[in-house]
């Protein structure tokens, strides 16, 4: 590289990173995309390493240095085996000296890239030479030089720990763990000590630096401490997305430092005397120290001493409120409190000095946090987790252990915390209303609300009686006020009331919403497996449930009496649904056992056993269940269930536009229908009978709202499930045919329309609705009998309508998608339900309908001009429909209910037509689009795989150019990053190769056609062999299993292709590597037979894995 070429690279870098204009040699302007592709060529070959070094040495452009550094990292990683050990050390030393000389003057982003390069070389070369394992010692020289060099050194150590802790793509987990464990044993403790030493020097002012440098040094040192403690010491690969750190499995050799009081004090000192982000990092390090494994401490006394120091530090911070005004500090401190009980048992905490004081301070802090909920919404659940864990551990600690009266103290503090929570959340309603939009309503934050509600049951049930009284003293006056307000408003809507009344209603409804959520989660926390199941808690459940159910009755009465005008706040409706879900889960599973509705037993041999069982006294669970409903005072379980289901029906009737309410209401109904006992109970209710007989838009307006189209499917799926459950038709007094009458009537009306009338806008919504409804019905058919009932209703009168609709509505995605989704469900042979009698032609008739519909849609699509490639809505307008059409065909072709040979035998063109149209559709899709949209690509390659598996005669008879277009697509799909796609493509290759091998030399039409294609493109098998082996040796690990399957069949089908690849690979290697590679190939082919039976395939697959691991250790690219 010379100065002119360097100037050109710098110009391209400016274009890429700043958008500055640059021109090519011919004077034309270069776009950002073109600049990027030109610069990426620096990463294409190891020959460019000297050019990258030249750029680093001579360029003054920060962007050019960044590109050179990134390219070097990529080249080193990809072509690692191309370098000798001395060359690797030279590159490492070059980058280190470059950082030492130039580092302080470089931009941060260049430094980060160069540091990553050094650490990557260190990781890859860890076992090559001791020099690589001495990086921590080399960095010590940086720490002892200037302050700027010390900052650089800490950045290198931070990156080094990250690099050795996180697996690099392309390396096996075994290789990674081997390096990682060696680093842990040789180097990590030294790195950890360097971080702590720097912190001590900063604390004692041993380093003279300006405030900015001090802040950076502190931040880097604390980050290093956190990274070292977070290291994956034992290879558990912890999930970084989870909130909670697990136990820190630090090695025993770290004991002296971790146990040393000075370490904890140092971190607390940094927390007290610095600002975020340093203080919050220090607190994060304390959390990790708090999570050290128990066995690290030699005795319980040492562990207790450590806990004592930790609690003393926390007490001091709580007393002085140190740093808690900062959001970051506050959040980490809440995490620390939540973490404390997770790693220490309550029996240890109560023995610690000052436990009661700590408990009192923690309670005050929690109460203060809850009262200031505006600032701490995302942190409250950590504090609730602390109290939940403390409470859950009480039964396992003797009252006389540790501090005197600790159980009573905990009871008192828990009550204080719960009272503060109830008061603050109820108070938040008015605060939010008065803020006039300035404050977010915590009820709108679903994630945080769920976290808090999940923590509440354990805490509240600890002191259930007093907590229930707290709730009731809030609930009863509010319920009374709400009734007064409702009677005042009458049947008029809340919006028509005066402003002050509206505000009062909003406040009362908001507070009732919070209380309903709390009651719901507490009732849902009832445990049938608990030792306290017979302790009478069900009577308290009953008393608080009565209020929620009375509220639901009141809301429902106003809703129905005002014919939908007097609607409550939608948030209150959602809270009631949440309560119903919890009540259903806990108290609606034993109906058939308690009510004596158990199925009568007809078998004589069972009578004696059953008599003994029926004579026995009711179980504890049955007593508790009965007791709950007796205390509820609102009728037995059937009455209560009817109340819930009536509410469900009224929600669907009077809240048609509120998607959230409709969705959650249908979810509740579906869950009730899904339970064994609750579904039986539903069948006895009048409301369910009404729903089953009147599932039309006239009675349930939500069905007519366009945005609720997908909810129609859920609604009909639920009703069908209930109707077809054992005894469903009898109990509902309704047959399946009668249930479908409204849908059949609508189908008959639509079927009678002419093509022009069918295309009329008035038919759009009925068409979308009918196919959404039918899809719901079809999705609940799980056996041959029920599926046959639907088929008999639709065939022969109503099935032809689908092809007609596909023809006239082909350009309207909403109609076509509803139609094709139904057809996909209808064709899907799940649980072998599409299973007709041997003498029945129904399977063929079903496929004929499918073919007609797909052909009608496909031909119209092919005749209309395709949208411009890259247009924003191309997926919605074209590819979504095409993907669904292919999925329908995939379901039909792979359903195993049609003998496809019959069509050719009787000259029925429907199979050929369907395959022809589908092939034409996929051939019109540009390859980049086929791979860009995941759902389209799965349907596309699924279809290709199935025709090569089952319809080879058709696919081999294609023109050679078309056949090769399909093979090119398969070749591209093999290399896709999605393992599902590469697996489908690998299976496709396997089908071709297996067929070719097993039928070689046979006089078959398919073989003649395949040979014709291979004669025109003799390198087809060799290119596939090369691609598969390259993917195996150099590709991403997730694709290895997929690409191994076709390798044996491909090698047997074309041995010359395998030999050619082997010779080519050998020619690229050094003489030493050639000997190793020959040995690896010899082992691969040993004991492999020339057959494709499963045992031989499995043996070869195992050998391929061993071959890959062996070859990757020395291969050069």
């Amino acid at each position: 590289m010379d100065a002119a070429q360097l100037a050109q690279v710098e110009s391209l870098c400016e274009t890429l990173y700043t958008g500055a204009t640059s021109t090519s040699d011919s004077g034309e302007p270069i776009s950002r995309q073109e600049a990027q592709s030109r610069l990426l060529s620096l990463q294409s070959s190891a020959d460019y390493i000297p050019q990258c070094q030249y750029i680093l040495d001579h360029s003054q452009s920060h962007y050019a240095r960044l590109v050179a550094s990134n390219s070097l990292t990529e080249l080193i990683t990809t072509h690692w085996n191309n370098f000798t050990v001395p060359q690797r050390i030279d590159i490492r030393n070059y980058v280190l000296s470059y950082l030492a000389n130039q580092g302080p003057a470089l931009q941060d982003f260049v430094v980060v890239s160069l540091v990553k390069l050094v650490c990557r070389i260190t990781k890859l070369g860890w076992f090559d030479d001791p020099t690589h394992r001495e990086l921590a010692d080399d960095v010590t020289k940086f720490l002892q030089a200037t302050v700027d060099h010390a900052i650089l050194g800490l950045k290198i150590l931070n990156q080094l720990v990250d690099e050795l802790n996180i697996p690099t793509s392309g390396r096996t987990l075994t290789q990674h763990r081997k390096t990682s464990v060696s680093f842990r044993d040789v180097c990590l403790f030294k790195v950890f000590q360097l971080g702590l030493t720097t912190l001590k020097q900063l604390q004692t002012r041993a380093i003279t630096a300006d405030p900015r440098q001090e802040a950076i040094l502190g931040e880097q040192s604390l980050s290093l401490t956190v990274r070292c403690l977070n290291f994956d010491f034992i290879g558990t690969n912890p999930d970084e997305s989870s909130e909670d750190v697990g136990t820190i499995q630090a090695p025993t050799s770290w004991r002296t430092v971790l146990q040393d009081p000075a370490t904890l004090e140092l971190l607390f000192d940094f927390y007290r005397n610095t600002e975020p982000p340093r203080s919050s990092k220090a607190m994060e390090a304390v959390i990790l120290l708090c999570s050290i494994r128990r066995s690290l401490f030699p005795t319980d006394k040492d562990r207790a001493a450590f806990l004592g120091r930790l609690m003393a530090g926390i007490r001091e911070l709580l007393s002085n409120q140190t740093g808690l005004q900062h959001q970051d500090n506050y959040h980490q401190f809440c995490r620390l409190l939540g973490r404390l009980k997770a790693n220490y048992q309550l029996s240890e905490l109560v023995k610690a000095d000052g436990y009661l004081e700590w408990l009192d301070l923690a309670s005050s802090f929690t109460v203060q946090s809850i009262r200031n909920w505006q600032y701490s919404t995302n942190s409250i659940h950590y504090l609730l987790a602390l109290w939940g864990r403390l409470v859950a551990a009480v039964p396992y600690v003797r009252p006389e252990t540790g501090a005197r009266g600790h159980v009573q103290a905990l009871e008192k503090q828990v009550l204080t915390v719960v009272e503060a929570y109830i008061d603050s959340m109820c108070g938040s309603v008015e605060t939010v209303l008065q803020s006039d939009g300035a404050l977010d309503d915590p009820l709108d934050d679903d994630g945080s609300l769920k976290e808090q509600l999940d923590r509440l049951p354990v805490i509240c049930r600890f002191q259930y009686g007093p907590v229930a009284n707290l709730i009731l003293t809030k609930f009863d006056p509010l319920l009374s006020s709400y009734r007064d307000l409702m009677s005042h408003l009458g049947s008029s809507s809340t919006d028509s009331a005066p402003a002050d009344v509206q505000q009062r209603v909003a406040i009362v409804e908001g507070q009732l919403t919070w209380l309903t959520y709390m009651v719901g989660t507490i009732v849902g926390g009832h445990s049938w497996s608990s030792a306290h199941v017979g302790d009478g808690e069900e009577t308290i459940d009953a008393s608080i449930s009565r209020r929620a159910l009375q509220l639901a009755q009141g809301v429902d009465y106003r809703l129905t009496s005002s014919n939908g005008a007097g609607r409550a706040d939608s948030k209150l409706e959602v809270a009631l649904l949440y309560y119903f879900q919890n009540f259903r889960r806990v108290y609606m599973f034993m109906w058939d056992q308690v009510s004596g509705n158990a199925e009568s037993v007809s078998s004589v041999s069972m009578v004696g056993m059953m008599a003994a069982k029926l004579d026995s006294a009711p179980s504890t669970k049955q007593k508790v269940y009965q007791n709950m409903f007796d205390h509820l005072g609102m009728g037995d379980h059937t009455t209560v269930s009817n109340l819930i289901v009536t509410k469900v029906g009224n929600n669907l009737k009077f809240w048609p536009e509120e998607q959230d309410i409709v969705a959650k209401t249908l979810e509740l109904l579906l869950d009730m229908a899904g339970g064994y006992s609750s579904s039986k109970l539903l069948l006895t209710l009048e409301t369910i009978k009404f729903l089953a007989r009147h599932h039309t838009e006239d009675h349930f307006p939500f069905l007519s709202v366009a945005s609720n189209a997908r909810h129609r499917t859920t609604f009909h799926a639920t009703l069908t499930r209930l109707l077809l459950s054992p005894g469903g038709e009898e109990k509902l007094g309704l047959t399946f045919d009668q249930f479908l009458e409204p849908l059949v009537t609508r189908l008959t009306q639509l079927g009678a329309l002419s093509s022009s009338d069918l295309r009329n806008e008035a038919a759009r919504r009925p068409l979308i609705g009918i196919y959404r409804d039918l899809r719901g019905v079809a999705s609940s058919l799980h056996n041959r009998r029920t599926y046959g009932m639907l088929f008999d209703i639709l065939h022969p009168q109503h099935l032809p309508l689908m092809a007609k609709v596909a023809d006239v509505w082909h350009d309207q995605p909403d109609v076509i998608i509803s139609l094709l989704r139904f057809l996909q469900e209808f064709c899907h042979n799940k649980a072998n339900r599409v299973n007709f009698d041997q003498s029945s032609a129904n399977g063929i008739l079903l496929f004929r309908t499918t073919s007609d519909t797909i052909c009608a849609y496909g031909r119209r699509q092919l005749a209309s001009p395709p949208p411009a490639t890259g247009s924003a809505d191309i997926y919605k307008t074209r590819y979504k429909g095409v993907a669904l059409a292919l999925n329908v065909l995939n379901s039909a072709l792979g359903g195993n209910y049609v003998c496809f040979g019959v069509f050719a035998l009787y000259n029925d063109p429907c199979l050929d037509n369907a395959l022809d149209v589908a092939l034409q559709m996929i051939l019109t899709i540009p390859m980049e689009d086929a791979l860009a949209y995941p759902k389209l690509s799965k349907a596309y390659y699924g279809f290709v795989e199935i025709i090569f598996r089952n319809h080879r005669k058709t696919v081999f008879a294609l023109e050679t150019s078309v056949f090769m277009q399909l093979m090119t697509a398969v070749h591209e799909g093999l290399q896709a990053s999605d393992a599902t796609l590469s697996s489908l493509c690998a299976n496709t290759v396997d089908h071709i190769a297996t067929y070719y091998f097993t039928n070689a030399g046979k006089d078959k039409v398919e073989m003649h056609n395949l040979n014709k294609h291979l004669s025109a493109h003799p390198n087809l098998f060799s290119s596939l062999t090369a691609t598969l082996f390259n993917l195996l040796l150099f590709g991403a690990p997730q694709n290895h299993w997929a690409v191994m399957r076709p390798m044996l069949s491909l090698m047997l089908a074309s041995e010359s292709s395998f030999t050619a690849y082997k010779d080519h690979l050998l020619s690229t290697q050094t003489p030493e590597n050639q000997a190793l590679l020959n040995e690896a190939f010899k082992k691969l082919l040993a004991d492999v037979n020339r057959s494709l039976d499963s045992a031989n395939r499995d043996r070869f697959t195992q050998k391929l894995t061993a071959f890959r691991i062996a070859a990757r250790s020395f291969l050069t690219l």
Side-chain angles (χ1 to χ4, degrees):
M1 182 176 274
D2 55 26
Q5 288 171 314
L6 178 63
Q8 193 180 2
V9 169
E10 288 177 342
S11 172
L12 287 170
C13 291
E14 288 294 328
T15 302
L16 177 61
Y17 288 106
T18 65
T21 52
S22 61
T23 54
S24 62
D25 296 338
S26 58
E28 291 180 13
I30 295 174
S31 67
R32 266 188 165 172
Q33 201 168 357
E34 194 181 342
Q36 184 178 22
S37 64
R38 286 193 184 191
L39 289 168
L40 281 174
S41 66
L42 282 171
Q43 300 180 11
S44 60
S45 163
D47 299 338
Y48 286 110
I49 287 179
Q51 280 89 321
C52 292
Q53 289 183 334
Y54 183 89
I55 295 168
L56 282 173
D57 287 335
H58 296 92
S59 176
Q60 295 304 307
S61 161
H62 294 299
Y63 298 122
R65 286 169 168 170
L66 175 65
V67 166
S69 176
N70 285 344
S71 300
L72 271 174
T73 306
E74 192 59 38
L75 289 169
I76 294 286
T77 307
T78 313
H79 302 278
W80 179 252
N81 288 333
N82 287 23
F83 306 102
T84 62
V85 173
Q87 284 174 323
R88 294 166 184 172
I89 294 170
D90 287 345
I91 298 171
R92 167 195 182 274
N93 292 341
Y94 164 76
V95 181
L96 270 177
S97 60
Y98 186 86
L99 275 170
N101 298 326
Q102 307 276 348
L106 294 174
Q107 288 280 1
D108 271 354
F109 54 82
V110 182
V111 170
V112 167
S113 182
L114 286 166
V115 164
K116 186 176 180 182
L117 172 56
V118 171
C119 296
R120 180 64 53 83
I121 294 169
T122 302
K123 177 179 184 170
L124 296 176
W126 189 259
F127 294 110
D128 287 353
D129 190 277
T131 311
H132 292 294
R133 299 194 287 277
E134 291 164 5
L135 183 61
D137 297 328
D138 294 341
V139 170
T140 312
K141 296 170 190 168
F142 279 78
L143 297 177
Q144 290 164 354
T146 65
V147 174
D148 285 334
H149 280 92
I151 292 170
L152 261 178
L154 289 169
K155 284 181 178 175
I156 294 172
L157 293 176
N158 268 297
Q159 181 61 39
L160 181 65
V161 176
D162 262 357
E163 187 68 49
L164 272 294
N165 195 29
I166 299 166
T168 306
S169 88
R171 281 165 64 87
T172 64
L173 199 58
T174 311
Q175 289 172 314
H176 165 69
R177 282 307 304 162
K178 191 178 173 188
T179 314
S180 183
V181 166
S182 173
F183 172 72
R184 177 198 72 193
D185 296 342
V186 173
C187 221
L188 185 60
F189 186 47
K190 192 185 298 176
V191 172
F192 180 57
Q193 285 178 308
L194 285 172
L196 287 177
T197 306
T198 311
L199 286 175
K200 282 174 191 161
Q201 288 173 336
L202 284 169
Q203 186 191 32
T204 56
R205 302 278 175 193
I207 298 176
T208 48
D210 61 46
R212 184 191 66 84
Q213 290 173 325
E214 252 186 53
I216 298 172
L217 278 171
E219 198 177 329
Q220 290 293 334
S221 305
L222 287 162
S223 289
L224 185 58
T225 307
V226 167
R227 277 189 170 89
C228 289
L229 289 170
N230 249 334
F231 194 81
D232 186 9
F233 292 101
I234 56 170
T236 50
N237 297 312
D239 177 13
E240 288 193 1
S241 63
S242 64
E243 276 287 357
D244 240 346
V245 278
T247 306
I248 304 298
Q249 301 288 345
T252 312
S253 55
W254 293 38
R255 179 187 290 158
T256 48
V257 174
L258 296 178
Q259 214 180 310
D260 186 354
T263 307
L264 191 60
E265 185 48 46
L266 177 68
L267 294 171
F268 271 129
D269 187 63
F270 253 85
Y271 172 79
R272 285 191 291 264
N273 298 319
T274 57
E275 298 287 307
R278 282 170 291 162
S279 51
S280 55
K281 270 285 176 207
M283 186 51 68
E284 203 177 330
V286 172
I287 294 170
L288 292 167
L289 272 184
C290 162
S291 307
I292 296 292
R293 63 184 170 95
R294 303 175 64 85
S295 49
L296 185 81
F297 299 92
T299 64
D300 286 346
K301 191 177 175 185
D302 293 314
R303 183 174 162 81
F306 182 80
L307 176 61
R309 291 194 292 275
L310 189 60
M311 287 181 71
I314 293 172
R315 283 204 311 276
E316 186 195 333
L317 296 183
L318 282 170
S319 301
N320 304 330
Q321 298 284 297
T322 314
L324 297 179
Q325 69 276 19
H326 296 294
Q327 184 73 37
D328 289 351
N329 290 356
Y330 172 81
H331 183 71
Q332 294 294 354
F333 188 70
C334 290
R335 282 187 67 210
L336 173 63
L337 284 176
R339 189 69 206 141
L340 190 65
K341 171 60 192 75
N343 202 38
Y344 289 90
Q345 295 173 1
L346 183 60
S347 56
E348 294 172 309
L349 292 174
V350 297
K351 289 176 189 169
D353 289 341
Y355 166 74
L356 293 178
E357 186 195 345
W358 172 85
L359 195 67
D360 193 40
L361 288 165
S363 164
S364 305
F365 176 70
T366 307
V367 168
Q368 187 185 348
S369 299
I370 291 170
R371 283 182 183 150
N372 295 307
W373 54 266
Q374 313 80 309
Y375 312 107
S376 59
T377 314
N378 293 328
S379 309
I380 287 175
H381 69 91
Y382 286 118
L383 298 172
L384 293 177
L386 166 69
W387 293 101
R389 284 169 178 153
L390 287 171
V391 160
V394 167
Y396 306 102
V397 180
R398 291 177 180 168
E400 64 273 12
T401 306
R404 185 189 296 276
H406 65 85
V407 178
Q408 292 77 6
L410 186 59
E411 288 171 353
K412 178 185 154 199
Q413 303 300 0
V414 163
L415 211 53
T416 311
V417 167
V418 173
E419 187 174 5
Y421 185 79
I422 296 170
D423 288 346
S424 297
M425 294 305 110
C426 290
S428 71
V429 177
E430 198 167 348
T431 313
V432 169
L433 276 173
Q434 287 171 351
S435 75
D436 204 20
L439 282 176
D440 292 333
D441 189 344
L443 284 169
D444 291 335
D445 186 350
D446 286 342
S448 184
L449 180 65
K450 183 179 181 304
E451 288 274 14
Q452 291 175 30
L453 293 176
D454 286 350
R455 306 275 194 259
L456 276 184
V458 178
I459 304 170
C460 294
R461 285 180 172 273
F462 180 58
Q463 284 288 91
Y464 199 12
V467 167
N469 287 335
L470 287 175
I471 290 173
L472 294 181
T473 52
K474 282 273 184 193
F475 216 131
D476 288 341
L478 281 170
L479 203 51
S480 174
S481 314
Y482 192 53
R483 283 180 184 140
D484 294 345
L485 284 166
M486 293 308 102
S487 61
H488 175 67
L489 287 170
S491 59
S492 58
S493 72
T494 310
D495 296 340
S496 62
D500 62 322
V501 175
Q502 279 189 42
Q503 182 155 13
R504 276 170 58 209
V505 170
I507 290 170
V508 171
E509 283 185 343
Q511 292 179 340
L512 285 171
T513 302
W514 270 111
L515 291 171
T516 306
Y517 270 125
M518 290 176 200
V519 169
T521 196
I522 294 167
V523 169
H526 179 98
S527 171
W528 289 98
S529 57
S530 162
H532 303 291
V533 76
D535 287 1
E537 285 193 353
E538 73 278 0
T539 58
I540 308 177
D541 282 349
S543 66
I544 61 173
S545 285
R546 189 184 316 129
R547 272 60 174 193
L549 290 167
Q550 284 171 345
L551 172 62
Q553 271 183 323
V555 167
D556 212 31
Y557 174 74
R558 181 174 176 231
L559 192 62
T560 49
S561 62
S562 63
N563 203 25
R567 301 200 298 195
D569 182 15
S570 60
K571 288 175 194 165
L572 178 55
E573 292 283 11
V574 171
L576 286 168
L577 289 168
Y578 176 82
Y579 165 74
F580 290 151
Q581 271 287 23
N582 281 288
F583 183 83
R584 169 200 70 78
R585 204 176 63 250
V586 174
Y587 287 114
M588 281 186 70
F589 72 96
M590 214 186 282
W591 172 79
D592 53 331
Q593 297 173 39
V594 176
S595 58
N597 285 317
E599 302 293 324
S600 60
V601 180
S602 56
S603 169
V604 178
S605 61
M606 293 286 286
V607 170
M609 286 167 58
M610 289 302 294
K613 191 173 179 183
L614 291 170
D615 288 342
S616 63
S619 69
T620 307
K621 284 186 181 179
Q622 288 170 334
K623 285 179 186 170
V624 167
Y625 186 87
Q626 200 67 57
N627 200 18
M628 201 310 275
F629 283 100
D630 291 345
H631 276 80
L632 191 61
M634 296 188 73
D636 65 2
H637 39 214
T638 309
T639 316
V640 174
S641 300
N642 201 44
L643 186 157
I644 294 173
V645 176
T646 305
K647 184 80 191 89
V648 165
N650 288 329
N651 279 1
L652 297 177
K653 196 170 181 179
F654 297 117
W655 287 95
E657 300 89 8
E658 279 288 336
Q659 275 204 56
D660 196 30
I661 291 178
V662 170
K664 284 188 164 70
T665 301
L666 286 172
E667 186 187 344
L668 171 65
L669 185 62
L670 181 63
D671 289 343
M672 288 171 82
Y676 174 74
S677 179
S678 56
S679 64
K680 285 183 171 182
L681 174 53
L682 289 186
L683 292 171
T684 64
L685 305 179
E686 287 303 318
T687 307
I688 293 294
K689 292 176 185 172
F690 181 83
L691 285 170
R693 289 176 185 278
H694 303 93
H695 50 100
T696 58
E697 296 176 6
D698 302 337
H699 293 88
F700 294 100
F702 88 93
L703 294 167
S704 62
V705 178
S707 58
N708 283 334
R710 66 177 56 196
H711 299 317
R712 297 182 71 127
T713 305
T714 312
F715 183 54
H716 282 83
T718 307
L719 293 178
T720 307
R721 174 184 277 192
L722 283 169
L723 183 69
L724 297 177
S725 60
E729 290 180 314
E730 183 190 333
K731 287 175 183 170
L732 292 176
L734 189 72
T735 65
F736 186 64
D737 290 40
Q738 289 170 329
F739 172 69
L740 284 185
E741 256 176 36
L743 305 187
V744 173
T745 307
R746 180 62 59 84
L747 279 172
T748 308
Q749 292 166 354
L750 291 165
L753 298 174
S754 65
S755 291
S756 56
D757 289 341
L758 189 63
R759 177 61 210 238
N760 194 309
E761 197 59 33
R764 180 192 293 268
R765 211 163 43 75
L767 282 169
I768 294 171
I770 195 73
Y771 286 118
R772 289 277 186 177
D773 296 349
L774 283 171
R775 181 186 169 207
V777 173
S779 69
S780 287
L781 309 177
H782 296 292
N783 57 46
R784 176 182 171 179
R785 180 185 67 84
T786 53
Y787 182 86
M789 285 158 62
L790 179 63
F791 187 87
D792 291 342
I793 289 169
L794 295 181
H795 173 76
Q797 191 182 345
H798 305 297
L799 290 181
L801 176 64
M802 292 194 283
K804 203 170 163 187
V805 172
D807 185 52
V808 298
W809 285 95
H810 69 95
D811 57 340
Q812 297 299 310
D814 51 352
V815 180
I816 280 297
I817 284 161
S818 292
L819 168 66
L820 292 176
R821 282 198 194 283
F822 161 64
L823 191 53
Q824 185 184 357
E825 180 61 51
F826 195 53
C827 292
H828 182 28
N829 192 10
K830 62 184 177 188
N832 202 28
R833 63 181 183 173
V834 190
N835 185 358
F836 302 107
D837 292 333
Q838 274 190 324
S839 57
S840 168
N842 285 351
I844 291 166
L845 294 169
L846 174 58
F847 183 77
R848 193 179 279 172
T849 300
T850 306
S851 171
D852 291 346
T853 309
I854 298 303
C855 289
Y857 170 69
R859 284 174 184 143
R860 285 292 203 161
Q861 282 292 316
L862 292 166
S864 59
T869 303
S871 65
D873 56 352
I874 190 169
Y875 178 73
K876 187 181 175 187
T877 55
R878 191 171 183 104
Y879 292 153
K880 190 172 184 179
V882 170
L884 280 170
L886 290 171
N887 279 330
V888 168
L889 212 47
N890 293 345
S891 289
L893 293 171
N896 218 20
Y897 51 82
V898 187
C899 175
F900 288 107
V902 170
F903 295 110
L905 201 60
Y906 292 98
N907 296 320
D908 187 335
C910 71
L911 173 63
D912 289 339
N913 289 345
L915 294 177
D916 182 49
V917 167
L919 278 166
Q920 286 185 55
M921 281 198 294
I922 66 172
L923 292 170
T924 58
I925 302 171
M927 203 60 245
E928 58 270 24
D929 285 356
L931 291 167
Y933 301 102
K935 287 183 180 175
L936 174 63
S937 51
K938 283 187 175 66
Y940 182 108
Y941 284 110
F943 175 71
V944 171
E945 192 270 337
I946 213 165
I947 58 171
F948 274 96
R949 176 170 20 121
N950 294 337
H951 302 280
R952 286 183 286 265
K953 189 171 184 179
T954 304
V955 80
F956 290 166
L958 294 168
E959 291 289 323
T960 298
S961 58
V962 177
F963 180 82
M964 287 311 297
Q965 196 176 336
L966 285 175
M967 291 315 299
T968 305
V970 169
H971 203 239
E972 289 287 331
L974 267 178
Q975 300 165 73
S977 56
D978 186 336
T980 310
L981 295 192
S982 50
S983 181
L984 286 168
C985 293
N987 287 342
T988 305
V989 174
D990 188 45
H991 300 322
I992 302 168
T994 301
Y995 186 82
Y996 187 81
F997 173 68
T998 51
N999 293 281
K1002 292 181 183 175
D1003 186 17
K1004 287 187 173 182
V1005 177
E1006 292 95 322
M1007 277 305 291
H1008 294 313
N1009 285 330
L1010 183 53
N1011 281 322
K1012 183 183 74 175
H1013 300 318
L1014 291 171
S1015 303
H1017 293 273
N1019 63 345
L1020 174 62
F1021 280 158
S1022 57
S1023 66
L1024 287 170
T1025 303
T1027 300
L1028 286 167
F1029 265 99
N1030 285 337
L1031 280 170
L1032 179 73
L1033 292 171
F1034 311 114
Q1038 66 264 28
N1039 289 1
H1040 291 155
W1041 184 251
V1043 302
M1044 285 179 194
R1045 179 161 181 76
M1047 281 182 160
L1048 180 61
S1049 51
L1050 204 53
M1051 284 167 64
L1052 293 176
S1054 175
E1055 290 186 37
S1056 58
S1057 299
F1058 171 66
T1059 310
Y1061 178 77
K1062 178 182 165 186
D1063 292 343
H1064 167 72
L1065 192 61
L1066 284 165
S1067 69
T1068 63
Q1069 303 299 307
T1070 60
E1072 308 91 75
N1073 280 2
Q1074 285 179 3
L1076 292 168
L1077 194 54
N1078 261 322
E1079 186 62 31
F1081 273 120
K1082 230 178 250 176
K1083 285 182 182 172
L1084 173 65
L1085 299 174
D1087 304 328
V1088 176
N1089 308 323
R1090 287 184 55 77
S1091 79
L1092 288 172
D1093 60 70
S1094 55
N1096 198 40
R1097 278 183 185 268
D1098 291 346
R1099 192 182 316 121
F1100 189 70
T1101 301
Q1102 289 171 350
K1103 285 173 168 291
L1104 277 170
T1105 306
F1107 170 75
R1108 178 183 168 275
I1109 292 168
R1112 292 230 6 177
S1113 63
F1114 59 80
L1115 268 186
T1116 59
L1117 279 173

